[in-house]
Amino acid sequence: MEHKEKARRGRMKKLGTVLMKILCVLLETVLLLLLAVLAVVYILEKGPSPTARDLFVRSVRETSAMGWVANLFLSESEIAEITATAPAQEYADTDVSLIQIADPTRPDDPDEPAQPDTWGLVDEDGDGIIIETVSGVGYSGYMMIVLDPSRVILASVPTSYGGRGYTVEQMVEKFGGVAGINAGGFDDPNGTGNGSIPDTMVVFEGKVYYAEYGCARGFAGLDADSILHVGMFTASQIAEKNIQYGVAFGPVLVSNGEKSSSATLSSGVNPRTGIGQRSDGAMLLLVIDGRQVSSMGATYEDMADIFLSYGAVNALNLDGGSSSMMYYGGEYINNCASVVGVRPVPTAFVVLPQEGDSDG
């Protein structure tokens, strides 16, 4: 009996020794990884490349959860100098004559082959929506072209402000839509907000909410004729322009066919969302994936170039990061950058079914 007890204690001791060795290896591995990360951050922030440093600092400072990383080896004054934004660019009023909305009527003969539009794009399935993959150095994503701009609205539920927001999918379902993207930002203390309170002005069904919050770095609004206006507006100017749906974030990427200044477009690399409009009225909804090996993200300059390549006359950057989502065909078609899943938001641009579609 005593022999068995000694043997049992011997096995337990060996097991304890093995577990302790495993724990030590794990701790050493974690420590080495932490040291490696710190070394990379140090090289980026204190290394020989100011360009790499500035891009890194701007990228992490644009996030709600990782902004503190910039402070590891840089002072607040150094960070402030790097992230300083240019004075708000002044924009001329949207020239509505540049937008001539095309007839969205579908061909009478459903068997007739779809023809490419002026930009060489084809609505092959006849649903009035074209999905294009976009890619560039370090990023990939999707451009959604909605041929009839009257189908696009800003979805929001003012009665939920202060409660809980809705995911893009929930917004699409609540408003009877077929597709959508996230829109404006929201109050997000410590990265744990519930996505219910907009942090900028919102216009829903012609009514202005949170006018006192202003336009941040830019506003995008659809008037009663489904023409997209971008710029910096007051509540009274929004009323004058008969804006029915709109939200602020920014910066303005393209205004009256002109790309914004390089200073305005200075940014880091992150997941992005944006909205624009072509000269024929078609709405351009863009989402770029980020914080992934296959797609680190895009800069504001990248966004502007993409919109211009798709014929945008006007375009605005919307809330990005972990909020960037595109919903189409009953599912999200891009990858969520958030480790906790799709985030609720207070606003989304939703695409309604086209006329004649009984099932949306």
Side-chain angles (χ1 to χ4, degrees), residues 24-338:
C24 288
V25 170
L26 288 175
L27 288 175
E28 288 176 0
T29 302
V30 171
L31 181 60
L32 288 173
L33 287 173
L34 179 60
L35 290 174
V37 171
L38 288 173
V40 170
V41 174
Y42 182 83
I43 291 171
L44 286 169
E45 294 191 346
K46 293 294 187 177
S49 173
T51 300
R53 177 201 63 198
D54 294 356
L55 186 63
F56 173 75
V57 171
R58 291 189 186 115
S59 297
V60 296
R61 272 304 174 108
E62 288 173 356
T63 71
S64 57
M66 297 297 292
W68 59 270
V69 175
N71 295 81
L72 288 176
F73 301 107
L74 294 173
S75 67
E76 278 295 337
S77 60
E78 289 174 313
I79 293 171
E81 184 177 350
I82 293 169
T83 58
T85 57
Q89 184 175 339
E90 292 188 7
Y91 302 95
D93 277 351
T94 296
D95 184 351
V96 297
S97 70
L98 297 176
I99 311 293
Q100 301 295 323
I101 297 178
D103 183 359
T105 303
R106 288 175 284 181
D108 293 330
D109 183 358
D111 297 324
E112 181 180 334
Q115 298 297 314
D117 62 15
T118 305
W119 290 267
L121 305 178
V122 180
D123 177 20
E124 295 181 350
D125 58 7
D127 69 348
I129 298 174
I130 301 170
I131 302 292
E132 289 268 298
T133 57
V134 297
S135 62
V137 178
Y139 69 83
S140 62
Y142 298 90
M143 176 70 82
M144 179 186 296
I145 301 96
V146 185
L147 301 180
D148 179 1
S150 68
R151 295 174 61 188
V152 178
I153 65 168
L154 180 82
S156 193
V157 186
T159 54
S160 74
Y161 294 163
R164 184 170 180 78
Y166 295 76
T167 65
V168 174
E169 178 182 4
Q170 290 169 339
M171 284 287 198
V172 171
E173 291 175 349
K174 187 170 183 64
F175 285 84
V178 296
I181 60 171
N182 65 293
F186 52 93
D187 187 30
D188 188 23
N190 302 316
T192 59
N194 60 12
S196 68
I197 303 177
D199 60 2
T200 59
M201 181 166 54
V202 171
V203 183
F204 177 69
E205 295 183 339
K207 183 176 179 179
V208 178
Y209 296 86
Y210 297 103
E212 66 276 17
Y213 288 3
C215 284
R217 298 180 65 191
F219 180 89
L222 288 158
D223 66 20
D225 296 319
S226 299
I227 291 178
L228 183 70
H229 297 250
V230 299
M232 300 293 291
F233 307 129
T234 63
S236 60
Q237 289 172 324
I238 283 172
E240 291 171 3
K241 299 175 188 300
N242 202 14
I243 302 294
Q244 297 300 299
Y245 298 100
V247 70
F249 199 82
V252 172
L253 303 171
V254 181
S255 176
N256 292 329
E258 297 293 328
K259 183 177 174 180
S260 292
S261 69
S262 295
T264 297
L265 298 179
S266 175
S267 74
V269 171
N270 272 302
R272 305 287 184 192
T273 301
I275 185 170
Q277 186 172 42
R278 296 191 318 199
S279 59
D280 65 348
M283 299 301 301
L284 305 172
L285 309 180
L286 175 64
V287 165
I288 299 294
D289 282 336
R291 302 172 191 166
Q292 305 161 32
V293 174
S294 60
S295 180
M296 294 299 293
T299 64
Y300 294 153
E301 188 109 26
D302 293 329
M303 294 280 283
D305 289 339
I306 294 168
F307 273 115
L308 286 170
S309 72
Y310 277 87
V313 174
N314 296 294
L316 180 89
N317 177 68
L318 298 172
D319 188 19
S322 298
S323 298
S324 289
M325 298 303 300
M326 178 177 285
Y327 186 81
Y328 174 74
E331 63 181 356
Y332 291 109
I333 63 175
N334 72 303
N335 297 309
C336 181
S338 173

